[in-house]
Amino acid sequence: MHDAVSKPTEPSESTVWTRRQTQAVSIGGVVVGGGRPVVVQSMTNTDTADVASSVKQVAELWRAGSEMVRLTVNNPESAAAIPRIVEKLQMMGIDVPLIGDFHYNGHQLLTQEPACAEALAKYRINPGNVGFGKKKDTQFAQLIEFAIRYNKPVRIGANWGSLDQSLAARLMDENNERAKPWDAGRVLREALIRSALDSANTAVDLGLPCDRIVLSAKVSGVQELIAVYRDLAQRSDFALHLGLTEAGIGSKGIVASSAALAVLLQEGIGDTIRISLTPEPGQSRTQEVIVAQELLQTTGQRAFTPLVTACPGCGRTTSEFFQELAKVVQNHVREKMPLWKVHHPGAENMTLAVMGCVVNGPGESRHANIGISLPGTGEAPSAPVFVDGEKSVTLRGENIAQDFVTLIDEYVERTYVRSAG
């Protein structure tokens, strides 16, 4: 029995990696950067002016584990809705920082709706479309002035798809003067980085403290994203938000995000992340939160919920029972985790295994805190269960799934006990 367990926000002791030291930024009570654990955020896709739908989706994202949620603020109706959304969430006991996503007209909306400026926990500003021509500097300054007035942090988020064209053109001209000109891709990456860094320096000059600035420089390509953030990390100590700007749908979006962000995270780069998945028809928006959590957990940086090692199946496992059991177990621990987080801290670090035959089943099961080795085709109809490396019991009959889930619950109850102190 453990009186003290590792905190869910800490990496496992066996993991060796070093976080890049950045400015710590407090966003509605959630601290990012400064060596803190990487924070998961998400974004709604509801019409923000539809208060009921937006509250419902924010609540769903929060329950799934999103630690900050961004909403589009693009018109007076959506700006006016923000304080009402915050109020309704607080009535539900949900205290999650909300981020306002501004493009083109943010300076006007915050002027018209000061309650929105006060209710939001952070503003997201895109330097590529905050204003154009002579208006750009003025409108950017107005947004920064609101952040200073209401003591709000800002994410300055440059984006490949809305790059400051005047800056890009100027850097192209400068490149033509080089003895060895860069290729066009490198020049555009430099424009993206400069857009973020120059805007951040301008914000500091206007009076916004460095510890209220988060930077991002998003692209859609994996290798481009890695190159941009490596460079950005070398050239500043601002907290960084990671994510592909449009990851894609289904497995493509998951794989692309994981391929890019895993590299950067393992190099200690990144303080907040978002997996920008295109939801499949009828699919919950919360999938992007789950993918972000699993990415952080499988790279050893945080623990959110017990992960299940499961047999992929082969000709020895013609029955689908082990697949069904793996799904039952994964769903069960996800449903129980909010309660376990309160009453049994540390349960998120538990490891589980659901294996399908005698080849690797007993061995994999011994490596887990709790593992079950189901019978493969032609094997005796029994399923040994291993607890912390030792054979505990053999399950048989029609209730193996429920019996195994019960063993998991009992293990949590006796192993992860909150200290009375």
Side-chain angles (χ1 to χ4, degrees), residues 71-84:
L71 299 96
T72 297
V73 186
N74 61 332
N75 53 41
E77 293 77 17
S78 61
I82 291 293
R84 294 158 58 201

Side-chain angles (χ1 to χ4, degrees), residues 152-290:
K152 304 294 182 180
V154 169
R155 171 159 72 95
I156 296 174
N159 195 297
W160 194 266
S162 51
L163 189 59
D164 183 337
Q165 293 303 306
S166 62
L167 174 61
R170 186 168 75 251
L171 292 182
M172 284 289 189
D173 291 340
E174 292 176 5
N175 188 53
N176 290 333
E177 302 299 321
R178 286 191 173 91
K180 294 182 178 180
W182 296 346
D183 62 67
R186 183 177 177 184
V187 177
L188 288 176
R189 288 197 298 272
E190 176 66 14
L192 192 69
I193 293 166
R194 284 278 300 277
S195 179
L197 289 176
D198 292 354
S199 298
N201 290 331
T202 298
V204 172
D205 291 341
L206 290 168
L208 188 67
C210 293
D211 62 2
R212 278 193 242 150
I213 297 174
V214 178
L215 294 188
S216 66
K218 290 188 175 184
V219 299
S220 296
V222 170
Q223 297 304 327
E224 290 85 356
L225 190 85
I226 294 170
V228 165
Y229 274 90
R230 281 174 173 166
D231 201 348
L232 191 58
Q234 290 179 348
R235 292 162 65 173
S236 80
D237 62 355
F238 292 109
L240 298 180
H241 169 73
L242 300 186
L244 292 170
T245 185
E246 293 101 9
I249 192 169
S251 60
K252 186 271 177 184
I254 295 171
V255 171
S257 294
S258 300
L261 271 59
V263 171
L264 294 169
L265 291 168
Q266 291 291 82
E267 293 179 3
I269 298 171
D271 301 291
T272 75
I273 65 170
R274 183 198 170 203
I275 308 297
S276 300
L277 295 181
T278 303
E280 295 189 22
Q283 189 177 68
S284 171
R285 187 71 165 179
T286 59
Q287 188 190 24
E288 68 177 52
V289 178
I290 294 170

Side-chain angles (χ1 to χ4, degrees), residues 10-18 265-266 296-302:
E10 296 178 349
S12 62
E13 292 180 1
S14 61
T15 303
V16 180
W17 51 273
T18 303
L265 291 168
Q266 291 291 82
L296 291 174
Q297 188 153 350
T298 54
T299 54
Q301 306 202 28
R302 291 186 66 180

